[in-house]
Amino acid sequence: GDGKVFAFNIALGDKREQKEMFLHKDHDDSSSILKTTQGYEKEYSFVKNQELTTVEQYPLDQAVKEVVKKDLEKEILVKMDVQGYENLVIEGGKETLSRAKACIIEIVNDPFYQGQPDFKKIFLLMDSLGFVYHGNFEQVKDHKDGHIVYFDAIFIKF
């Protein structure tokens, strides 16, 4: 209600194009442009029921200009939870991210999506943009052996 949070029915990536997206019908939070791995489907059966849908993809920078159509504040917070597509959203959003004071990015350690970036790749991309890794907000552990499955990494620009 304060005009500072916006939601749009588009996908974000590194270029403007139509993309096929895997819509997870029983758990849409896990939907992704990237195909799920067999291991993910075996461990979490709720992602098996999928259908392909076509979505409009924009680079983040272009989406801000053409879809949001509002001037951003001088310092913004970016929260990214894009199911293995983080590196491509970062590549398409360098101008927008230059305005960010902080970014919270969900990092998946387990191979859930084919071609997903690992923490090192995200760390290096964010470092190249002047961000410093500053810890985690939340992390989810595997129920069997306790390893960290995914976490929200905090990156801050000082």
Side-chain angles (χ1 to χ4, degrees):
D2 62 7
K4 294 184 178 183
V5 176
F6 308 97
F8 298 95
N9 193 21
I10 62 171
L12 296 174
D14 60 336
K15 55 186 149 201
R16 175 83 166 92
E17 62 185 334
Q18 284 196 336
K19 295 290 278 192
E20 292 292 311
M21 183 174 192
F22 296 92
L23 177 63
H24 296 188
K25 295 174 77 174
D26 299 325
H27 193 258
D28 61 358
D29 292 355
S30 296
S31 299
S32 179
I33 290 176
L34 301 177
K35 185 169 179 46
T36 53
T37 62
Q38 288 181 344
Y40 186 28
E41 292 175 11
K42 181 180 177 186
E43 188 67 27
Y44 301 94
S45 61
F46 56 77
V47 299
K48 285 184 182 179
N49 187 14
Q50 302 177 24
E51 68 180 32
L52 279 174
T53 187
T54 303
V55 295
E56 290 294 324
Q57 176 181 284
Y58 288 79
L60 176 58
D61 292 338
Q62 186 178 0
V64 168
K65 291 175 186 163
E66 296 177 13
V67 180
V68 177
K69 296 180 184 176
K70 290 189 182 266
D71 290 330
L72 298 178
E73 300 282 333
K74 182 178 177 185
E75 292 182 343
I76 61 172
L77 166 69
V78 174
K79 170 64 169 102
M80 201 177 302
D81 184 349
V82 292
Q83 306 313 105
Y85 223 56
E86 294 79 12
N87 58 318
L88 297 172
V89 174
I90 293 167
E91 289 294 338
K94 290 180 178 176
E95 183 181 327
T96 302
L97 292 172
S98 74
R99 300 185 71 107
K101 180 73 175 163
C103 295
I104 302 168
I105 302 175
E106 183 184 70
I107 308 288
V108 180
N109 286 329
D110 286 358
F112 283 179
Y113 302 97
Q114 294 178 11
Q116 76 187 36
D118 61 9
F119 176 73
K120 181 178 180 181
K121 184 168 192 161
I122 300 302
F123 174 89
L124 292 173
L125 277 170
M126 295 304 288
D127 182 68
S128 75
L129 297 174
F131 288 90
V132 175
Y133 171 66
H134 208 67
N136 301 336
F137 250 148
E138 182 180 334
Q139 58 188 25
V140 174
K141 295 180 180 181
D142 182 80
H143 62 279
K144 293 177 186 170
D145 66 11
H147 77 274
I148 306 302
V149 177
Y150 60 91
F151 61 97
D152 285 332
I154 303 165
F155 294 89
I156 296 177
K157 195 183 312 169
F158 292 98

